[in-house]
Structures are given as structure tokens and as C-alpha cells.
Amino acid sequence: MTSFVTHLESAIDGTKLPAGTVQTLHNGRPLWVRYDLDAVKAHMSKEMLCRRPATMWRYRELLPPQHDESIVSLGEGMSAVMHLPRLGQALGLHNFWVKDESQLPTGSFKSRGLSAAVTMANEFGIQRVAIPTAGNAGGAMASYAARAGMEAYVFMPADTPDINKYECAMAGARVFLVDGLITDCGKIVQAGKEVMGWFDFSTLKEPYRIEGKKTMGLELAEQFQWELPDVILYPTGGGTGLIGMWKAFHELKEMGWLKSDKMPRMVAVQSEGCSPIVNAYESGQRFADFFDGAATVASGLRVPAAVGDFMILDAVRASHGRAVAVEEDRIQEFMRLAASNEGISVGPEAAACVGAAEMLAAEGWIQPHEQVVFYNCGASQKYPHLLRTDLPLLSKESEIDWGFIATGVQEWPVEAVYA
Ligand SMILES: Cc1ncc(COP(=O)(O)O)c(C=O)c1O
């Protein structure tokens, strides 16, 4: 099958560029991938979709490669969408949902973007790739590069969660720990391009990671029978997912696939420890200022400057959404709230969305009956240092009436009880 891509288009000034060749930024700003949506519509039907495998590649016509053989996949996509009545009740919301991306290959939603980006690099014959990462994108790139037989270089802040370091090294990438932030890692990747000859997979510096992330929106529409929710809460670092979903919803609208014109209000969620997008939103700016002193346990949100800042802010404003920051000190509390109420393994980034839901419901900005979806972008198990803390030790006598054991408590090797 061939691609339905017509061209690439500058997100800042609409300049058109050809798609059949390697492209990066235009005048320092990202590119959109554009499709012939009439032709897509004529070629793909909703009925057809039902018969396709449950991966993001079921939306093949809305994805960029020319050749099926280029696709590099680990089975990513079709993550579960679940209603969360107990957690919703705790937050004052009756119609609260999660799209659980923690179930994807490499344990995070980064697999979608990197599957698409590595696929396109594969199509263009690129053999050596590099990425600056807050953690999960590096893990995903290393895995997809391994699958494609590419050489991978990963640059991450030295205090990135250990699991991210291990998963990259395990997949055969060369991993560099940088005494700095993701923006410093980005400078190294940029500076090394010529000498090292690697292709730069930085967020939005190539056009295809958005296309992979876009499938989170396509799937949500399909899973909700082509009717979009009222509000989407998205943990925002570089913002690719929020931007990609907003693009997906417009493509579906243009194809006439949505049951109504209602678009969700998109909420960019950050932590008070790193909230450049929130600051820009609140002060009415289209471009965000660098956030000094970025520090948050939600490592995926520790992005003090995003190359697609204006794309995030445009989408948030066009959707009548918001950009909000939650209290850094409460993130672990929200991880626990989600896990103990619903059994879902919510990473700290998504836990910020639970906090945002609580805040926006209390403000009345979200009405109790509205349908709200948050994205759980990564598994909590990738952050064992956040799971380990705060385990209250109980007395074993207080938990069980040990009288049911005839021989008595003392002989049973129970040493500690946690709750
Ligand atoms: C688990 C998790 N959530 C959220 C984000 C932020 O994603 P985005 O860059 O699409 O805003 C990241 C990025 O590293 C992440 O790893």
C-alpha cells in the first residue's frame, strides 16, 4: 500500500515541503504531516477497521510510510479505556475515565511516537539515531532501534529514573548521563549531528513522532464510538501527545467520521515544579519562557522549554481548554489514590492529571456529569523509588485475628504488615 501523505507543512507559517525526503524543522519550527483526507475516506471505512489487528497501525491510511515493509512495530496501540467510578467519586466526577498507556510496549505511550519515527527513519535508510530524553522516550527509541537494527545513542539527565537507564542499555543503546536537563541533552544531540552522523529524534524536531502519538486520539474516538469526551487531561512535557490528538480529532472531523461537532476541551497538565506552558497560558503568551529551576518527581514533565510550545498553547486555546499546574508535593498521593481506588498503575505524570481533575472539579470548571478522560502515559513500576516510600507499618496483631491458627501467632514467620 502507498501513503496518502500529500506534503509537510510548517506549523508556524504554512510553508509546504515535500514529504518524500528527510525533513526536520523549518525555520526552527516543527512540521505537520498532511494527508489527502478525501482519498483516505474513500479507501478506509469504519467497518474495515473492525477487522484489522488491535495496534495503532490499524489506522494505516492516516500514517506516513510509503511501504508496509518499512513499519517497525512491537504491537503498540489499542490501549484499554476504562471507566473509573470509585476514583471519579473521590474527585467529584461521575464520568471519569482513563486511557491506560502503561500497557504498551516499553511501558509507556512513547512507543507510539517512536514506532512511527523509527519506521520513517527505516524507510529513509537512516542507520544511526540519537535522542535527548526525560526517560521513557529513550527507552522506546532504544527498543524500536534494536528492532530495526539501528545504532542508538541516548542522552538523559543523570537523575533520570534508573529503570530508564537500564532499559536503554538492555536494548543495546549507548546511554550517556548528562549533568543537566533534557534541554542540555538536546544541545549535545544537536551539536553532534554532523560529526557523529546521527539522526536527531528530539521531540518535534522530526515530523513523525506526532503521527504516532496522534493514534491515541484516533483510538479514543473509535473506542467511544466516534463521539469525543468533554474534557481530556494530558500530562504535558514536550506536548507531542496533546498536539497529535488535537490533529487526529480534526482529521476525523474533516473525514466526517465524528458523530457530532463537539471537540474535547484539552487540558495541558504540568507540575508546579516545571510549568512553562501554564505560565505562558496564564500570561496570554503564544510562546513559553524557559522555566528556571525545573524540578519534579514526574520526570516526563521536566521539560523547561518545548519546541512545540505554540502548538500546545494553540490547541489548548482553540479547544477552550486550560493549562494547569498541580502541587508537586501531592503527586505521590494521587498515584496512590488511583491505585488504591481502581487498581491502575499510574505513573507520576498521569497522577498529576488526577490532581488536575480534583482541582478543576472543585473549581466547577468541570461539571460532575461531564465525560473526562485522562491519559496514564507510563506504568508506575517504572518509578520504584516513588512506590517505595510512605508504606505505613502496621502491627500484625491489629490486622488479623490470629486465633484461627490453633498453634498461635508466635510460630508463624510474619514479620511486617503494610497497608
Ligand atoms: C510518562 C510520561 N508522561 C508524560 C510525558 C510528557 O509527554 P509529552 O512530551 O508528549 O508532553 C512523558 C515524556 O517523557 C512521559 O514519559
Side-chain angles (χ1 to χ4, degrees), residues 108-110 133-137 182 203 209 213 234-242 299-301 303 312 347 349-350 376-379 383:
S108 91
F109 68 159
K110 296 286 177 183
T133 179
N136 289 322
I182 187 172
T203 304
R209 280 175 66 183
K213 286 280 196 82
Y234 181 80
T236 304
T240 336
L242 189 147
S299 43
L301 305 186
V303 180
I312 304 170
E349 297 83 2
N376 178 25
C377 297
Y383 308 79

Side-chain angles (χ1 to χ4, degrees), residues 208-224:
Y208 302 110
R209 280 175 66 183
I210 298 189
E211 295 304 293
K213 286 280 196 82
K214 166 179 103 173
T215 60
M216 289 193 290
L218 299 175
E219 273 178 28
L220 188 71
E222 187 181 352
Q223 287 167 315
F224 280 165

Side-chain angles (χ1 to χ4, degrees), residues 141-156:
M141 189 198 77
S143 297
Y144 284 89
R147 182 106 165 118
M150 291 176 191
E151 214 184 321
Y153 291 78
V154 179
F155 294 83
M156 57 174 68

Side-chain angles (χ1 to χ4, degrees), residues 321-360:
R322 290 273 293 271
V324 293
V326 300
E327 284 170 74
E328 174 65 20
D329 293 346
R330 295 191 65 197
I331 286 180
Q332 277 167 274
E333 176 193 327
F334 292 120
M335 286 173 75
R336 197 178 176 90
L337 191 71
S340 60
N341 275 285
E342 300 283 359
I344 51 173
S345 154
V346 168
E349 297 83 2
C353 292
V354 176
E358 183 190 75
M359 187 197 304
L360 294 171

Side-chain angles (χ1 to χ4, degrees), residues 351-370:
C353 292
V354 176
E358 183 190 75
M359 187 197 304
L360 294 171
E363 263 183 35
W365 190 82
I366 302 179
Q367 298 293 309
H369 66 274
E370 287 192 299

